[in-house]
Short mmCIF file of all heavy atoms in Angstrom, two decimals:
data_model
loop_
_atom_site.label_atom_id
_atom_site.label_comp_id
_atom_site.label_asym_id
_atom_site.label_seq_id
_atom_site.Cartn_x
_atom_site.Cartn_y
_atom_site.Cartn_z
N SER B 28 86.61 82.40 109.73
CA SER B 28 86.09 82.90 111.00
C SER B 28 86.99 83.99 111.57
O SER B 28 86.54 84.84 112.32
CB SER B 28 85.97 81.74 112.00
OG SER B 28 87.22 81.12 112.16
N VAL B 29 88.23 83.97 111.16
CA VAL B 29 89.19 84.99 111.58
C VAL B 29 89.60 85.77 110.35
O VAL B 29 90.00 85.16 109.34
CB VAL B 29 90.44 84.37 112.24
CG1 VAL B 29 91.44 85.44 112.60
CG2 VAL B 29 90.02 83.56 113.46
N PRO B 30 89.49 87.08 110.38
CA PRO B 30 89.88 87.85 109.17
C PRO B 30 91.29 87.54 108.75
O PRO B 30 92.22 87.61 109.55
CB PRO B 30 89.73 89.31 109.64
CG PRO B 30 88.75 89.26 110.75
CD PRO B 30 88.98 87.94 111.44
N PRO B 31 91.45 87.21 107.50
CA PRO B 31 92.79 86.87 107.01
C PRO B 31 93.54 88.09 106.53
O PRO B 31 93.01 89.20 106.57
CB PRO B 31 92.48 85.96 105.82
CG PRO B 31 91.19 86.53 105.28
CD PRO B 31 90.43 87.05 106.47
N TYR B 32 94.74 87.90 106.07
CA TYR B 32 95.45 88.92 105.32
C TYR B 32 94.93 88.84 103.89
O TYR B 32 94.73 87.74 103.35
CB TYR B 32 96.95 88.69 105.39
CG TYR B 32 97.52 88.66 106.78
CD1 TYR B 32 98.15 87.53 107.28
CD2 TYR B 32 97.40 89.77 107.61
CE1 TYR B 32 98.64 87.49 108.56
CE2 TYR B 32 97.90 89.74 108.91
CZ TYR B 32 98.52 88.60 109.37
OH TYR B 32 99.00 88.58 110.65
N LEU B 33 94.74 89.98 103.27
CA LEU B 33 94.09 90.00 101.96
C LEU B 33 94.95 90.75 100.95
O LEU B 33 95.58 91.75 101.28
CB LEU B 33 92.73 90.69 102.07
CG LEU B 33 91.71 89.90 102.89
CD1 LEU B 33 90.72 90.84 103.56
CD2 LEU B 33 90.97 88.89 102.01
N PHE B 34 94.91 90.27 99.73
CA PHE B 34 95.76 90.81 98.68
C PHE B 34 94.96 90.91 97.38
O PHE B 34 94.08 90.10 97.10
CB PHE B 34 96.97 89.90 98.41
CG PHE B 34 97.80 89.59 99.63
CD1 PHE B 34 97.41 88.62 100.54
CD2 PHE B 34 98.98 90.27 99.85
CE1 PHE B 34 98.18 88.34 101.65
CE2 PHE B 34 99.77 89.99 100.96
CZ PHE B 34 99.37 89.03 101.85
N TRP B 35 95.31 91.92 96.58
CA TRP B 35 94.85 91.97 95.20
C TRP B 35 96.08 92.01 94.29
O TRP B 35 96.99 92.81 94.50
CB TRP B 35 94.00 93.24 94.93
CG TRP B 35 92.55 93.10 95.26
CD1 TRP B 35 91.91 93.53 96.37
CD2 TRP B 35 91.55 92.48 94.45
NE1 TRP B 35 90.58 93.25 96.31
CE2 TRP B 35 90.32 92.60 95.13
CE3 TRP B 35 91.55 91.86 93.19
CZ2 TRP B 35 89.13 92.10 94.62
CZ3 TRP B 35 90.37 91.39 92.68
CH2 TRP B 35 89.16 91.50 93.39
N TYR B 36 96.04 91.14 93.31
CA TYR B 36 97.08 91.06 92.30
C TYR B 36 96.48 91.37 90.93
O TYR B 36 95.31 91.08 90.69
CB TYR B 36 97.70 89.68 92.25
CG TYR B 36 98.71 89.37 93.33
CD1 TYR B 36 98.32 88.93 94.57
CD2 TYR B 36 100.09 89.52 93.08
CE1 TYR B 36 99.26 88.65 95.56
CE2 TYR B 36 101.03 89.22 94.05
CZ TYR B 36 100.60 88.79 95.28
OH TYR B 36 101.54 88.49 96.26
N VAL B 37 97.32 91.87 90.03
CA VAL B 37 96.91 92.08 88.65
C VAL B 37 97.84 91.29 87.72
O VAL B 37 99.04 91.16 88.01
CB VAL B 37 96.93 93.60 88.29
CG1 VAL B 37 98.32 94.18 88.43
CG2 VAL B 37 96.40 93.82 86.86
N GLN B 38 97.25 90.75 86.67
CA GLN B 38 98.03 90.01 85.69
C GLN B 38 97.74 90.58 84.32
O GLN B 38 96.63 90.46 83.81
CB GLN B 38 97.70 88.53 85.74
CG GLN B 38 98.56 87.68 84.79
CD GLN B 38 98.21 86.20 84.85
OE1 GLN B 38 97.10 85.81 85.23
NE2 GLN B 38 99.14 85.36 84.46
N TYR B 39 98.73 91.18 83.72
CA TYR B 39 98.62 91.65 82.34
C TYR B 39 98.96 90.49 81.40
O TYR B 39 99.66 89.55 81.79
CB TYR B 39 99.54 92.84 82.10
CG TYR B 39 99.20 94.03 82.96
CD1 TYR B 39 99.93 94.33 84.10
CD2 TYR B 39 98.11 94.85 82.65
CE1 TYR B 39 99.60 95.40 84.91
CE2 TYR B 39 97.77 95.93 83.46
CZ TYR B 39 98.52 96.20 84.58
OH TYR B 39 98.20 97.26 85.39
N PRO B 40 98.51 90.55 80.17
CA PRO B 40 98.75 89.45 79.24
C PRO B 40 100.22 89.06 79.16
O PRO B 40 101.09 89.94 79.06
CB PRO B 40 98.23 90.01 77.91
CG PRO B 40 97.18 90.99 78.30
CD PRO B 40 97.69 91.62 79.57
N ASN B 41 100.45 87.77 79.23
CA ASN B 41 101.79 87.21 79.11
C ASN B 41 102.77 87.72 80.18
O ASN B 41 103.98 87.78 79.94
CB ASN B 41 102.37 87.49 77.73
CG ASN B 41 101.50 86.91 76.62
OD1 ASN B 41 101.10 85.75 76.71
ND2 ASN B 41 101.20 87.70 75.62
#
Side-chain angles (χ1 to χ4, degrees):
Chain B
S28 57
V29 177
Y32 302 119
L33 293 150
F34 305 80
W35 274 101
Y36 281 84
V37 61
Q38 183 180 24
Y39 298 101
N41 300 314

